[in-house]
Amino acid sequence: MSLSVDIKKKLGNFSLNVKTNMDKERRGLLGASGCGKSMTLKCIAGIEKPDEGSIILNGRLLYDSKKKIDLPPQERNVGYLFQNYALFPNMTVEENIGCGLKGSRKNKKPRVDQMVEFLHLKGLEKRYPMQLSGGQQQRVALARILAYEPDVVLLDEPFSALDSYLKENLWQELLEVLKVYHGDTIIVSHNRDEIYGLCDSIAIMDTGNLILSGNTKELFDKPVKLSAARMTGCKNISRVKKQSDYTVEALDWGMLLKTKEEVNENIRYVGIRAHDIRPSEDKTMENSLPCNSIRITDSPFEKNLIINSNSNELWWKISKSYWVNTLNEKLPDYIRLPKEHLMLLE
């Protein structure tokens, strides 16, 4: 199973420019709202038409501007899960699942029953969408897609219509389903936690352009580019000036930083994730600075400490148990930015 996308599309002042290849992957497409994620899926599915380029799925041309090929959606064998699931309100669960299959109701039944069992929908076959919870509706929509065995599954913000308390369980359910699906999957989201938990590879989009792709965990550890660091949740970023091969001046934090990674000439920024800051014994420790807190905020399981550094803010996130048991509910005099956690960014 492979998918190759190389397309361009212009809408007013917005330009979409996406070039990527996949091979038996669960690929996350991460980006801010309006960056072109959903438009990319719609072009692959045939709902939108690119201005130029090509889309090739398992060696079959779905779209090619030069050859004037543009297969309609029903001929592409692409499964598309819309944000609102798009279930037919006048059809039961089993009718919704079977509506994309060819043949008589009798011929469809074994496949429908298989999907009902697979997606844990037993007992709900005769219900209508309005009688289902959001999570059940999602499973029905996914069952309908998987029933006809598409070559690629496209999930557009699959959890956006769900209450937050449902999401974690549904992540696990969806992950188990996708693990046994043999085609490619693309999951669109602006939520980095969803992408991290569901996808083994990731592509980051910014204002219509696919700027970076790679292994999910590796890219979170080393985002390489400024926009990728921000998109994956890094709150602490400073402009830098190179001082030596392993030293930079963090201009916004007013300090010199020793780095584990060699500093090349393309590096313009340094970042550190809020969870990677550590307390320091004193100011002589490497990469230490005074811990001048300007405010502390609570989340259910964490303390968010906002540290003042050279009139700029550094975010430090720690668990509440660490705050109580290790720091004794008291800020240290100094914090440090461990060099092994510094991210050098272009």
Side-chain angles (χ1 to χ4, degrees), residues 5 17 32 38 42 45 48 81 135 156 200 205 232 249 306 309 317 326 338 343:
V5 179
N17 185 2
S38 294
K42 289 175 181 177
E48 293 282 351
L81 181 67
D156 194 354
D200 44 31
M205 290 193 69
T232 55
E249 181 185 0
I306 315 300
S309 174
K317 289 179 177 285
T326 302
M343 300 182 295

Side-chain angles (χ1 to χ4, degrees), residues 143-289:
R144 181 176 63 186
I145 289 171
L146 295 178
Y148 62 85
E149 299 180 295
D151 293 323
V152 61
V153 170
L154 310 177
L155 307 178
D156 194 354
E157 299 280 3
F159 303 106
S160 63
L162 302 176
D163 294 331
S164 58
Y165 75 92
L166 285 174
K167 290 183 180 180
E168 192 166 342
N169 282 339
L170 288 172
W171 286 359
Q172 296 303 316
E173 289 184 13
L174 180 58
L175 183 59
E176 291 306 309
V177 170
L178 295 178
K179 280 180 178 178
V180 296
Y181 168 65
H182 299 297
D184 290 308
T185 305
I186 302 179
I187 303 174
V188 154
S189 181
H190 61 269
N191 185 313
R192 64 182 183 273
D193 294 334
E194 291 176 8
I195 295 295
Y196 193 89
L198 288 169
C199 303
D200 44 31
S201 70
I202 182 175
I204 295 178
M205 290 193 69
D206 187 21
T207 58
N209 295 292
L210 199 155
I211 60 170
L212 198 64
S213 60
N215 177 275
T216 300
K217 291 178 173 56
E218 290 176 2
L219 199 145
F220 268 77
D221 288 341
K222 189 178 178 182
V224 181
K225 295 182 180 291
L226 172 65
S227 54
R230 285 176 172 163
M231 198 60 62
T232 55
C234 183
K235 293 183 176 295
N236 301 316
I237 297 173
S238 171
R239 296 168 299 137
V240 298
K241 183 178 180 181
K242 180 179 177 179
Q243 297 295 314
S244 72
D245 287 344
Y246 294 94
T247 307
V248 294
E249 181 185 0
L251 301 175
D252 297 315
W253 301 335
M255 63 185 300
L256 291 177
L257 289 171
K258 295 292 185 181
T259 67
K260 182 178 180 180
E261 183 183 351
E262 186 173 355
V263 184
N264 67 48
E265 299 303 322
N266 296 322
I267 299 303
R268 296 292 180 269
Y269 301 89
V270 66
I272 187 167
R273 299 196 186 276
H275 292 97
D276 289 333
I277 293 176
R278 300 288 184 265
S280 179
E281 295 177 9
D282 58 60
K283 63 182 180 181
T284 63
M285 291 190 71
E286 189 174 73
N287 296 350
S288 292
L289 71 158

Side-chain angles (χ1 to χ4, degrees), residues 69-120:
I69 294 173
D70 184 21
L71 296 185
Q74 61 269 26
E75 293 182 17
R76 296 193 175 202
N77 202 30
V78 171
Y80 193 116
L81 181 67
F82 293 89
Q83 292 183 26
N84 62 359
Y85 310 138
L87 297 175
F88 294 106
N90 61 333
M91 290 185 179
T92 64
V93 166
E94 60 185 2
E95 289 171 339
N96 264 287
I97 295 173
C99 69
L101 299 173
K102 296 179 181 179
S104 66
R105 180 176 295 184
K106 182 179 179 180
N107 291 334
K108 293 178 182 181
K109 193 174 187 312
R111 183 61 175 167
V112 171
D113 290 346
Q114 184 183 21
M115 288 296 102
V116 165
E117 187 74 28
F118 183 48
L119 272 299
H120 310 294

